[in-house]
Amino acid sequence: MPATPEVATPLIDAHGRTVSYLRLSVTDRCDLRCSYCMPERMKFLPKKDILSLEELETVAGIFIDLGVRKIRLTGGEPLMRKNIMHLIKALGRRLDGGGLNELSLSTNATQLARFAEPLAEAGVQRVNVSLDSLRPERYAEITRWGKLDAVLHGLEAAKRAGLKIKINCVVLKSFNEDEVDDLLRWCAMEDFDLVFIEVMPMGDLGAQTRFEQFLSLQKLEEKIDADWGLIALPDNTGGPSRYYRVQRLGSRIGFISPLSHRFCALCNRVRLTCTGTLFTCLGQEGNKDLRAPLRSPHDPITATREAIFAALASKPEGHVFLIQKDRVQETNRHMNTTGG
Ligand code: SAM
Ligand code: SF4
């Protein structure tokens, strides 16, 4: 593999953490309305504020030149963005010696059947597919109208195209906790990694709703350990997931549990919204606009770099999420806006 270029000024925050991972949201729009992610009548960002594909490519390039080695495209639903393959192909050209080590995608997989092959050809190695239930009626309920079949076809196509697949499952109290064993068996059989995610209080859905949705993954982890046997793995993405080998299935699973298990000390990532707002923490409001510097008539690259460094200097030590019966501390923005 060609050597990764040296970085003159790496992205190091005030807490000594090196940022090497960018989550890049390419749209806040989505063809589904997962009930923990956004309300049914979601108000989307004004189209005029959304960065063009060329601007997204430029800003991603600036991050790569500053030491970002891993980019995950997200949204909203990234495959709903018109002409998204233009951006993906351009970023794919930064793999293999162009500074980028990994290009991946978070997707709900409704469009994956037609995109799997071109994604693999462009250099995407892995897709993280959001799937909270294997039961068609339940899947339709949680997504408000999604069709499970479309997702399963998408997954088959992704497998055929040679993409590695990780299933992201948000576990909700009294909704899908009873499917955990089915999901474990199914993912092991299909050779998919599986990550259970704790619901996060992002965007107003009503404090009561959040409390009713929330299930601490700590107990779930203990139960899976007792039933299936978990061996901790050293795999660390510099992020929130803790990974295990499932002894009785041979598969790999992870847990993202920001509320029951704080993960911030190793955080290596930042998130850019599709309107060019840089969030250095998923669970805080602090942000920096990169759209204005990107559009600056005078040396936009330098202006954008400076804005990125300024944002990094104030990257918070950790999130402030809280979900209790009588109190919820949440972000004002929904997950689809920030880019999950
Ligand atoms: N549409 C794509 C998808 O669903 O994978 C990408 C964007 S989605 C916002 C990214 C991830 O965020 C999904 O796995 C989704 O389940 C998760 N997510 C959305 N809202 C969440 C919340 N409030 N708490 C925890 N995870 C959430
Ligand atoms: Fe859309 Fe993903 Fe949010 Fe579901 S989780 S509504 S698929 S953006």
XYZ file of all heavy atoms in Angstrom, residues 152-233:
655
model
N -33.518 -5.870 2.630
C -32.901 -7.193 2.480
C -32.303 -7.359 1.083
O -31.220 -7.923 0.929
C -33.915 -8.303 2.793
C -34.471 -8.257 4.242
C -35.477 -9.378 4.471
C -33.348 -8.344 5.280
N -33.005 -6.839 0.061
C -32.438 -6.901 -1.298
C -31.160 -6.075 -1.385
O -30.185 -6.469 -2.011
C -33.449 -6.398 -2.339
C -34.558 -7.369 -2.559
N -35.871 -6.995 -2.710
C -34.554 -8.722 -2.628
C -36.610 -8.076 -2.871
N -35.836 -9.139 -2.824
N -31.185 -4.928 -0.735
C -30.001 -4.066 -0.714
C -28.820 -4.778 -0.071
O -27.682 -4.701 -0.558
N -29.098 -5.478 1.013
C -28.025 -6.194 1.709
C -27.465 -7.327 0.853
O -26.247 -7.541 0.812
C -28.542 -6.739 3.050
C -28.753 -5.663 4.127
C -29.555 -6.215 5.299
C -27.406 -5.140 4.622
N -28.349 -8.014 0.147
C -27.874 -9.092 -0.753
C -26.943 -8.509 -1.817
O -25.874 -9.054 -2.110
C -29.051 -9.749 -1.482
C -29.735 -10.841 -0.699
C -31.090 -11.175 -1.315
O -31.234 -11.075 -2.555
O -32.006 -11.502 -0.540
N -27.375 -7.387 -2.399
C -26.560 -6.754 -3.454
C -25.213 -6.307 -2.886
O -24.169 -6.440 -3.544
C -27.318 -5.565 -4.039
N -25.224 -5.789 -1.673
C -23.979 -5.323 -1.056
C -23.029 -6.495 -0.834
O -21.821 -6.389 -1.060
C -24.287 -4.621 0.263
N -23.600 -7.607 -0.401
C -22.793 -8.819 -0.186
C -22.166 -9.266 -1.502
O -20.969 -9.544 -1.572
C -23.716 -9.931 0.310
C -23.389 -10.450 1.673
C -24.387 -11.517 2.043
C -23.749 -12.519 2.965
N -24.677 -13.528 3.424
N -23.007 -9.307 -2.541
C -22.518 -9.734 -3.867
C -21.394 -8.815 -4.356
O -20.449 -9.249 -4.996
C -23.656 -9.711 -4.900
C -24.446 -11.008 -4.986
C -25.239 -11.070 -6.277
N -26.038 -9.900 -6.550
C -27.252 -9.674 -6.060
N -27.804 -10.570 -5.254
N -27.912 -8.581 -6.356
N -21.526 -7.529 -4.037
C -20.521 -6.552 -4.503
C -19.241 -6.607 -3.667
O -18.279 -5.895 -3.957
C -21.120 -5.150 -4.463
N -19.262 -7.398 -2.608
C -18.058 -7.565 -1.780
C -17.907 -6.494 -0.706
O -16.809 -6.342 -0.155
N -18.978 -5.764 -0.416
C -18.893 -4.744 0.633
C -18.997 -5.406 2.008
O -19.786 -6.339 2.182
C -20.050 -3.740 0.476
C -20.012 -2.854 -0.753
C -21.352 -2.151 -0.944
C -18.908 -1.819 -0.608
N -18.197 -4.922 2.954
C -18.349 -5.416 4.333
C -19.582 -4.733 4.917
O -19.845 -3.558 4.617
C -17.126 -5.056 5.168
C -15.956 -5.974 4.860
C -14.854 -5.791 5.886
C -13.547 -5.535 5.177
N -12.714 -4.506 5.705
N -20.312 -5.463 5.742
C -21.595 -4.921 6.223
C -21.650 -4.943 7.746
O -21.331 -5.940 8.381
C -22.762 -5.753 5.638
C -22.776 -5.588 4.111
C -24.093 -5.340 6.250
C -23.607 -6.592 3.368
N -22.062 -3.784 8.263
C -22.294 -3.686 9.698
C -23.748 -3.268 9.884
O -24.186 -2.298 9.255
C -21.353 -2.641 10.298
C -21.286 -2.669 11.800
C -20.361 -1.598 12.336
C -18.908 -2.024 12.360
N -18.030 -0.957 12.874
N -24.475 -3.998 10.703
C -25.878 -3.628 10.971
C -25.906 -2.761 12.228
O -25.367 -3.151 13.269
C -26.744 -4.902 11.187
C -26.709 -5.816 9.949
C -28.178 -4.521 11.560
C -27.332 -5.256 8.703
N -26.536 -1.599 12.112
C -26.726 -0.719 13.266
C -28.152 -0.874 13.762
O -29.099 -0.607 13.011
C -26.559 0.752 12.857
C -25.109 1.150 12.751
O -24.225 0.484 13.283
N -24.861 2.244 12.056
N -28.298 -1.268 15.010
C -29.648 -1.471 15.543
C -29.842 -0.632 16.800
O -29.154 -0.827 17.803
C -29.824 -2.955 15.870
S -31.335 -3.291 16.776
N -30.761 0.313 16.729
C -31.091 1.103 17.920
C -32.086 0.270 18.743
O -33.125 -0.149 18.230
C -31.715 2.464 17.530
C -32.128 3.244 18.770
C -30.723 3.281 16.701
N -31.712 0.004 19.985
C -32.579 -0.850 20.808
C -33.512 0.046 21.628
O -33.056 0.920 22.366
C -31.753 -1.756 21.756
C -32.665 -2.806 22.394
C -30.626 -2.434 20.992
N -34.800 -0.180 21.446
C -35.801 0.659 22.096
C -36.604 -0.171 23.105
O -36.987 -1.310 22.812
C -36.759 1.241 21.054
C -36.118 2.105 19.965
C -37.126 2.419 18.877
C -35.564 3.402 20.554
N -36.834 0.466 24.256
C -37.553 -0.223 25.338
C -38.920 -0.710 24.865
O -39.658 0.035 24.214
C -37.701 0.752 26.509
C -38.246 0.106 27.764
C -37.883 0.889 29.011
C -38.423 2.312 28.981
N -37.949 3.124 30.072
N -39.243 -1.911 25.179
C -40.554 -2.517 24.874
C -40.897 -2.465 23.393
O -42.073 -2.531 23.028
C -41.690 -1.820 25.641
O -41.378 -1.732 26.980
N -39.892 -2.313 22.534
C -40.197 -2.333 21.097
C -39.467 -3.480 20.404
O -40.088 -4.389 19.868
C -39.854 -0.990 20.438
C -40.167 -0.995 18.972
C -41.492 -0.909 18.539
C -39.171 -1.149 18.019
C -41.803 -0.974 17.190
C -39.473 -1.210 16.669
C -40.789 -1.116 16.255
N -38.139 -3.451 20.456
C -37.409 -4.503 19.735
C -36.419 -5.257 20.626
O -35.610 -6.018 20.121
C -36.702 -3.924 18.498
C -35.745 -2.806 18.861
O -35.670 -2.388 20.018
N -34.999 -2.327 17.889
N -36.500 -5.034 21.953
C -35.536 -5.740 22.816
C -35.703 -7.256 22.699
O -34.756 -8.008 22.876
C -35.594 -5.317 24.291
C -36.795 -4.614 24.733
C -36.870 -4.352 26.235
O -36.072 -4.855 27.034
O -37.790 -3.623 26.616
N -36.927 -7.697 22.375
C -37.161 -9.147 22.264
C -36.579 -9.738 20.965
O -36.665 -10.933 20.741
C -38.660 -9.439 22.351
C -39.450 -8.723 21.270
O -38.908 -7.797 20.638
O -40.613 -9.101 21.026
N -36.012 -8.884 20.088
C -35.452 -9.410 18.838
C -33.931 -9.552 18.875
O -33.308 -9.890 17.865
C -35.822 -8.477 17.675
C -37.201 -8.734 17.129
C -37.395 -8.034 15.795
O -36.774 -8.454 14.806
O -38.148 -7.047 15.773
N -33.363 -9.246 20.038
C -31.902 -9.228 20.125
C -31.293 -10.578 19.719
O -30.355 -10.645 18.916
C -31.468 -8.805 21.551
C -30.027 -9.162 21.827
C -31.689 -7.300 21.719
N -31.867 -11.668 20.229
C -31.299 -12.991 19.896
C -31.460 -13.309 18.412
O -30.554 -13.857 17.783
C -31.953 -14.088 20.742
C -31.456 -14.040 22.184
O -30.430 -13.375 22.439
O -32.105 -14.659 23.051
N -32.631 -12.953 17.843
C -32.839 -13.191 16.398
C -31.803 -12.422 15.581
O -31.239 -12.939 14.615
C -34.237 -12.718 15.958
C -35.324 -13.634 16.479
O -34.972 -14.728 16.975
O -36.511 -13.263 16.385
N -31.576 -11.179 15.971
C -30.605 -10.354 15.235
C -29.195 -10.923 15.366
O -28.431 -10.946 14.404
C -30.652 -8.914 15.750
C -31.836 -8.102 15.224
C -32.172 -6.942 16.159
C -31.530 -7.546 13.827
N -28.870 -11.387 16.573
C -27.540 -11.978 16.788
C -27.342 -13.188 15.879
O -26.324 -13.307 15.203
C -27.393 -12.429 18.246
C -27.058 -11.346 19.263
C -27.261 -11.863 20.679
C -25.616 -10.897 19.099
N -28.349 -14.067 15.853
C -28.227 -15.297 15.031
C -28.170 -14.953 13.553
O -27.360 -15.477 12.799
C -29.433 -16.221 15.275
C -29.351 -16.974 16.578
C -30.387 -18.099 16.604
N -30.788 -18.380 17.963
C -31.812 -17.813 18.589
N -32.588 -16.952 17.972
N -32.080 -18.109 19.845
N -29.050 -14.049 13.122
C -29.137 -13.693 11.704
C -27.829 -13.045 11.223
O -27.298 -13.413 10.176
C -30.328 -12.750 11.501
C -30.509 -12.270 10.097
C -30.941 -12.998 9.025
C -30.266 -10.946 9.617
N -30.984 -12.199 7.910
C -30.578 -10.942 8.243
C -29.829 -9.758 10.203
C -30.455 -9.792 7.450
C -29.712 -8.628 9.427
C -30.020 -8.648 8.063
N -27.296 -12.131 12.004
C -26.052 -11.456 11.593
C -24.897 -12.447 11.554
O -24.040 -12.374 10.666
C -25.732 -10.295 12.534
S -26.796 -8.879 12.233
N -24.879 -13.385 12.517
C -23.804 -14.391 12.511
C -23.910 -15.243 11.250
O -22.914 -15.509 10.577
C -23.905 -15.259 13.761
N -25.142 -15.615 10.889
C -25.352 -16.459 9.709
C -24.963 -15.719 8.426
O -24.366 -16.276 7.522
C -26.834 -16.829 9.665
C -27.208 -17.926 8.707
S -28.962 -18.216 8.896
C -29.658 -16.795 8.053
N -25.273 -14.437 8.379
C -25.000 -13.638 7.172
C -23.575 -13.089 7.120
O -23.185 -12.440 6.160
C -25.966 -12.440 7.107
C -27.440 -12.801 6.977
C -27.780 -13.268 5.568
O -26.991 -13.035 4.648
O -28.851 -13.871 5.403
N -22.847 -13.283 8.224
C -21.498 -12.742 8.343
C -21.480 -11.203 8.366
O -20.618 -10.569 7.758
C -20.614 -13.292 7.196
C -19.141 -13.162 7.519
O -18.815 -13.010 8.711
O -18.314 -13.179 6.585
N -22.467 -10.633 9.054
C -22.516 -9.182 9.249
C -22.054 -8.875 10.679
O -22.392 -9.617 11.598
C -23.952 -8.641 9.130
C -24.622 -8.865 7.799
C -26.014 -8.873 7.716
C -23.896 -9.038 6.627
C -26.661 -9.061 6.498
C -24.529 -9.229 5.408
C -25.922 -9.242 5.346
N -21.320 -7.794 10.859
C -21.110 -7.289 12.219
C -22.429 -6.669 12.681
O -23.233 -6.231 11.852
C -20.023 -6.201 12.229
C -18.626 -6.790 12.065
O -18.474 -8.011 12.180
O -17.688 -5.997 11.822
N -22.600 -6.622 13.983
C -23.846 -6.062 14.521
C -23.506 -5.099 15.653
O -22.735 -5.448 16.549
C -24.714 -7.216 15.057
C -25.962 -6.874 15.856
C -26.959 -6.067 15.026
C -26.648 -8.148 16.352
N -24.063 -3.893 15.570
C -23.819 -2.920 16.637
C -25.154 -2.484 17.235
O -26.051 -2.046 16.511
C -23.048 -1.687 16.107
C -22.927 -0.630 17.190
C -21.654 -2.087 15.644
N -25.281 -2.658 18.536
C -26.472 -2.175 19.236
C -26.206 -0.744 19.701
O -25.136 -0.452 20.238
C -26.785 -3.064 20.442
C -27.211 -4.456 20.057
C -26.436 -5.557 20.391
C -28.387 -4.666 19.353
C -26.826 -6.837 20.037
C -28.790 -5.945 18.987
C -28.002 -7.039 19.329
N -27.200 0.111 19.487
C -27.023 1.531 19.816
C -28.084 1.976 20.826
O -29.264 1.623 20.691
C -27.156 2.404 18.536
C -26.150 1.945 17.477
C -26.959 3.884 18.839
C -26.278 2.677 16.139
N -27.624 2.751 21.789
C -28.537 3.327 22.774
C -29.166 4.578 22.180
O -28.451 5.364 21.533
C -27.676 3.739 23.976
C -28.305 3.581 25.320
C -27.212 3.607 26.401
O -26.487 4.602 26.515
O -27.087 2.636 27.133
N -30.460 4.757 22.372
C -31.093 5.942 21.796
C -30.534 7.204 22.466
O -30.299 7.220 23.669
C -32.636 5.860 21.883
C -33.156 6.202 23.278
C -33.279 6.763 20.848
N -30.252 8.215 21.656
C -29.673 9.451 22.192
C -30.698 10.575 22.096
O -31.458 10.637 21.121
C -28.419 9.841 21.396
C -27.326 8.806 21.495
S -25.975 9.165 20.349
C -25.644 7.543 19.697
N -30.708 11.470 23.077
C -31.700 12.552 23.075
C -31.308 13.667 22.111
O -30.754 14.672 22.516
C -31.693 13.021 24.538
C -30.325 12.704 25.031
C -29.823 11.518 24.270
N -31.573 13.449 20.846
C -31.208 14.434 19.826
C -32.466 14.945 19.149
O -33.165 14.185 18.473
C -30.282 13.799 18.799
C -28.982 13.319 19.429
S -27.720 13.040 18.208
C -27.459 14.646 17.524
N -32.734 16.217 19.346
C -33.912 16.829 18.738
C -35.138 16.545 19.593
O -35.249 15.485 20.211
N -36.015 17.495 19.597
C -37.172 17.398 20.479
C -38.192 16.387 19.957
O -38.758 16.533 18.879
C -37.819 18.792 20.589
C -38.986 18.758 21.558
O -38.967 17.885 22.453
O -39.902 19.584 21.403
N -38.411 15.339 20.754
C -39.526 14.426 20.459
C -40.447 14.389 21.674
O -41.356 13.580 21.765
C -39.009 12.999 20.196
C -38.105 12.750 18.989
C -37.721 11.283 18.920
C -38.783 13.151 17.697
N -40.157 15.260 22.641
C -40.901 15.243 23.901
C -40.126 14.406 24.914
O -39.723 13.281 24.615
N -39.919 14.973 26.117
C -39.115 14.292 27.140
C -39.699 12.926 27.475
O -38.987 11.937 27.644
C -39.029 15.166 28.380
N -41.015 12.869 27.545
C -41.673 11.615 27.896
C -41.354 10.526 26.869
O -41.015 9.393 27.203
C -43.193 11.870 27.967
C -44.017 10.673 28.395
C -43.726 10.277 29.851
O -43.173 11.070 30.606
N -44.076 9.051 30.206
N -41.429 10.907 25.583
C -41.149 9.949 24.506
C -39.727 9.417 24.625
O -39.497 8.220 24.526
C -41.316 10.641 23.129
O -42.581 11.231 23.116
C -41.173 9.670 21.983
N -38.766 10.308 24.833
C -37.374 9.869 24.948
C -37.206 8.901 26.107
O -36.534 7.872 25.985
C -36.444 11.067 25.185
C -36.043 11.794 23.958
C -35.245 10.951 22.994
N -34.919 11.737 21.817
C -34.792 11.257 20.586
N -34.965 9.983 20.334
N -34.491 12.026 19.590
N -37.825 9.240 27.233
C -37.685 8.371 28.398
C -38.313 7.009 28.093
O -37.762 5.958 28.436
C -38.332 9.011 29.636
C -38.176 8.150 30.851
C -36.940 8.038 31.480
C -39.246 7.421 31.342
C -36.784 7.209 32.584
C -39.092 6.597 32.446
C -37.857 6.487 33.067
N -39.457 7.034 27.426
C -40.130 5.774 27.101
C -39.322 4.938 26.106
O -39.355 3.719 26.129
C -41.530 6.039 26.544
C -42.514 6.385 27.641
C -43.784 7.012 27.116
O -43.956 7.058 25.882
O -44.594 7.464 27.941
N -38.583 5.609 25.209
C -37.778 4.874 24.213
C -36.511 4.292 24.820
O -36.015 3.268 24.352
C -37.320 5.827 23.086
C -38.390 6.285 22.141
C -37.824 7.306 21.147
O -36.824 7.995 21.407
N -38.465 7.411 19.996
N -35.975 4.979 25.821
C -34.614 4.675 26.255
C -34.468 3.337 26.978
O -35.182 3.030 27.919
C -34.094 5.794 27.180
C -32.697 5.547 27.660
C -31.623 5.635 26.783
C -32.446 5.181 28.975
C -30.329 5.375 27.214
C -31.157 4.926 29.409
C -30.104 5.028 28.522
N -33.505 2.558 26.518
C -33.160 1.311 27.183
C -31.652 1.327 27.404
O -30.882 1.451 26.439
C -33.532 0.119 26.291
C -33.209 -1.239 26.903
C -34.407 -1.771 27.678
C -32.811 -2.237 25.835
N -31.238 1.202 28.651
C -29.796 1.184 28.925
C -29.203 -0.115 28.382
O -29.716 -1.200 28.646
C -29.567 1.281 30.432
O -28.268 0.808 30.717
N -28.131 0.020 27.621
C -27.544 -1.184 27.016
C -26.676 -1.965 27.986
O -26.242 -3.066 27.678
C -26.722 -0.807 25.782
C -27.515 -0.337 24.563
C -26.632 -0.308 23.333
C -28.712 -1.239 24.294
N -26.449 -1.385 29.156
C -25.589 -2.082 30.115
C -26.178 -3.447 30.484
O -25.507 -4.467 30.443
C -25.424 -1.230 31.361
C -24.205 -1.621 32.153
C -23.893 -0.588 33.212
O -24.313 0.574 33.110
N -23.191 -0.999 34.232
N -27.485 -3.435 30.781
C -28.146 -4.692 31.174
C -28.201 -5.652 29.998
O -28.047 -6.855 30.152
C -29.566 -4.398 31.675
C -29.605 -3.807 33.048
C -30.836 -4.286 33.820
C -30.743 -3.897 35.279
N -30.696 -2.428 35.476
N -28.433 -5.086 28.812
C -28.519 -5.934 27.614
C -27.175 -6.644 27.382
O -27.120 -7.835 27.081
C -28.877 -5.082 26.392
C -29.010 -5.887 25.107
C -30.316 -6.665 25.095
C -28.957 -4.980 23.894
N -26.108 -5.881 27.564
C -24.764 -6.448 27.372
C -24.540 -7.605 28.355
O -24.044 -8.669 27.967
C -23.739 -5.331 27.602
C -22.376 -5.685 27.113
C -21.412 -4.490 27.209
O -21.812 -3.344 26.933
O -20.253 -4.729 27.565
N -24.961 -7.397 29.587
C -24.786 -8.452 30.598
C -25.587 -9.692 30.215
O -25.133 -10.822 30.352
C -25.235 -7.941 31.980
C -24.239 -6.966 32.589
C -24.822 -6.119 33.725
O -25.935 -6.450 34.227
O -24.173 -5.126 34.071
N -26.785 -9.462 29.698
C -27.647 -10.595 29.344
C -27.049 -11.369 28.155
O -27.016 -12.600 28.149
C -29.059 -10.091 29.009
C -30.002 -11.227 28.702
C -31.438 -10.784 28.652
C -32.414 -11.921 28.368
N -31.892 -13.081 27.662
N -26.565 -10.621 27.153
C -25.978 -11.299 25.987
C -24.740 -12.088 26.430
O -24.509 -13.215 25.996
C -25.627 -10.282 24.873
C -26.905 -9.628 24.344
C -24.871 -10.958 23.734
C -26.678 -8.544 23.288
N -23.979 -11.503 27.336
C -22.789 -12.185 27.838
C -23.191 -13.501 28.514
O -22.596 -14.554 28.262
C -22.050 -11.258 28.814
C -20.704 -11.830 29.237
O -20.171 -12.672 28.481
O -20.200 -11.451 30.308
N -24.234 -13.428 29.354
C -24.668 -14.634 30.074
C -25.196 -15.685 29.090
O -24.923 -16.875 29.227
C -25.746 -14.256 31.092
N -25.946 -15.256 28.076
C -26.581 -16.211 27.154
C -25.640 -16.744 26.079
O -25.742 -17.881 25.654
C -27.776 -15.546 26.443
C -28.886 -15.214 27.418
O -28.827 -15.691 28.571
O -29.805 -14.472 27.030
N -24.743 -15.862 25.584
C -23.955 -16.232 24.400
C -22.448 -16.226 24.630
O -21.705 -16.783 23.830
C -24.265 -15.276 23.228
C -25.682 -15.308 22.781
C -26.685 -14.482 23.191
C -26.272 -16.217 21.845
N -27.861 -14.806 22.564
C -27.640 -15.874 21.717
C -25.785 -17.288 21.091
C -28.515 -16.555 20.882
C -26.649 -17.970 20.254
C -28.003 -17.601 20.163
N -22.001 -15.565 25.681
C -20.570 -15.466 25.971
C -19.922 -14.374 25.145
O -19.950 -14.425 23.915
N -19.371 -13.375 25.803
C -18.724 -12.271 25.082
C -17.245 -12.191 25.447
O -16.889 -12.208 26.620
C -19.391 -10.935 25.438
C -20.830 -10.727 24.956
C -21.351 -9.368 25.395
C -20.925 -10.856 23.432
N -16.406 -12.112 24.427
C -14.967 -11.932 24.676
C -14.595 -10.557 24.136
O -14.783 -10.281 22.943
C -14.143 -13.004 23.931
C -14.595 -14.404 24.369
C -12.649 -12.820 24.169
C -14.057 -15.511 23.481
N -14.085 -9.703 25.013
C -13.741 -8.332 24.585
C -12.657 -8.374 23.508
O -11.710 -9.152 23.596
C -13.263 -7.532 25.787
N -12.821 -7.537 22.488
C -11.843 -7.458 21.402
C -11.091 -6.127 21.502
O -11.656 -5.138 21.966
C -12.550 -7.532 20.045
C -13.231 -8.863 19.706
C -14.051 -8.735 18.424
C -12.195 -9.963 19.548
